[in-house]
Amino acid sequence: MKKRIITATILIILFGGILIFGDGNLEFLFSAGVVLLATLGSYEFVVRCHRHKKQVLWYHFLTVALTGGFVLLNILLFDHSNYEKIILLSLFGLFFIYFILYLTDSRMHRGELGVSLLTIIYTSLGFIALAFLRRISLEMILYLLIITIMTDTFAYFLGIRFGKHKLIPKVSPKKSIEGAISGLVFGGGFGIAYALVFDVFANFDLNIFWIVILSLALSIVSQSGDLIASKFKREVGIKDYSNIFPGHGGILDRFDSTMFAAILLMLVVQVIG
């Protein structure tokens, strides 16, 4: 517990500082942090956890490099007039590279092909969304983090206290329906309150009804992201993706729920913006 508290304190100070001050002339700080997190996350996913027969091959490291490069490309082109077209073209290029590898390297079977492509998509989109939301405003990304953190916190503690009915025991035996509902109510509730008090959606056409719906949807999606990550880990027989954060696991262990919720919020903001 002491180790967890010390690690959490360091992470809050470090990430909080980058989050708050990573704006304007210092925007590169947050952007660089996002690229680093995505790159390390992809390393955890493909090299440490999902490599075929525990053998590390050169194209595993290629996947890590391409993930970081794809995130960086998105951040650099957010304001480009042809952003969507360039990203679609780059995605085609990424897929084409791996299909060529599939044809030319006998060690890459369909499973390896799928995991490589999944790694790039899974470990990049959420962090791209975080960078996008931070560019909109500090309040927007804090709104997201409040929902995901409160959802996780209340789902855990109230689930332990009141949980009697298992949610999906084959995926995560400790998670309960009561905990999931608690996370939804309190995570969504804190998010709604924050959005209304700080007028997070002042520049968007979003009334209180849709703020409530969005906040609850983000809570549900964040819990789904956590469960998906749990199933990924259970399939390869590990508890944590890594121990980069002592007592807290790896990058993906800390950001699994936030990544999914960030993607949803980014898409909603683009639709209503």
Side-chain angles (χ1 to χ4, degrees), residues 210-223:
W210 289 111
I211 290 175
V212 171
I213 297 298
L214 175 60
S215 300
L216 295 177
L218 288 170
S219 179
I220 293 172
V221 170
S222 72
Q223 294 191 63

Side-chain angles (χ1 to χ4, degrees), residues 200-236:
V200 173
F201 296 97
N203 297 323
F204 300 91
D205 185 20
L206 206 65
N207 58 37
I208 186 171
F209 173 79
W210 289 111
I211 290 175
V212 171
I213 297 298
L214 175 60
S215 300
L216 295 177
L218 288 170
S219 179
I220 293 172
V221 170
S222 72
Q223 294 191 63
S224 300
D226 188 20
L227 288 167
I228 290 169
S230 295
K231 183 164 186 179
F232 281 150
K233 289 183 287 187
R234 185 164 292 275
E235 286 181 345
V236 293

Side-chain angles (χ1 to χ4, degrees), residues 127-138:
F127 291 109
I128 291 169
L130 285 175
F132 177 85
L133 295 171
R134 180 61 185 90
R135 287 168 62 89
I136 294 175
S137 70
L138 175 61

Side-chain angles (χ1 to χ4, degrees), residues 14-193:
L14 180 61
F15 186 73
I18 295 175
L19 181 63
I20 294 171
F21 298 107
D23 195 10
N25 293 331
L26 296 178
E27 183 182 330
F28 71 91
L29 288 176
F30 189 79
S31 298
V34 165
V35 173
L36 179 61
L37 288 173
T39 304
L40 292 175
S42 66
Y43 175 83
E44 290 177 346
F45 194 80
V46 71
V47 175
R48 290 182 60 84
C49 304
H50 292 273
R51 58 183 182 268
H52 179 58
K53 295 181 180 179
K54 307 299 181 182
Q55 183 181 9
V56 180
L57 301 172
W58 70 272
Y59 52 76
H60 292 127
F61 294 102
L62 175 65
T63 300
V64 175
L66 289 177
T67 300
F70 183 61
V71 174
L72 178 61
L73 179 66
N74 274 267
I75 293 174
L76 292 176
L77 295 177
F78 275 149
D79 295 325
H80 196 283
S81 59
N82 291 317
Y83 168 67
E84 292 84 1
K85 296 176 182 178
I86 295 174
I87 295 306
L88 285 175
L89 181 61
S90 65
L91 280 173
F92 173 80
L94 288 173
F95 275 70
F96 186 72
I97 287 171
Y98 281 97
F99 283 123
I100 293 298
L101 288 176
Y102 177 60
L103 290 173
T104 58
D105 193 323
S106 60
R107 295 170 298 182
M108 178 175 277
H109 52 74
R110 287 177 299 173
E112 285 282 281
L113 173 64
V115 168
S116 296
L117 294 175
L118 174 63
T119 299
I120 295 176
I121 301 301
Y122 178 65
T123 61
S124 67
L125 294 185
F127 291 109
I128 291 169
L130 285 175
F132 177 85
L133 295 171
R134 180 61 185 90
R135 287 168 62 89
I136 294 175
S137 70
L138 175 61
E139 290 75 19
M140 184 66 74
I141 198 168
L142 287 177
Y143 164 72
L144 170 75
L145 293 175
I146 286 171
I147 291 176
T148 57
I149 292 172
M150 290 299 101
T151 295
D152 183 63
T153 301
F154 281 95
Y156 177 76
F157 286 107
L158 295 185
I160 291 177
R161 178 66 179 83
F162 301 106
K164 294 181 179 180
H165 302 88
K166 299 299 183 182
L167 185 61
I168 309 179
K170 291 184 178 181
V171 174
S172 187
K174 294 183 179 180
K175 288 184 171 60
S176 65
I177 294 175
E178 292 83 358
I181 294 174
S182 299
L184 173 63
V185 172
F186 285 97
F190 274 100
I192 293 165

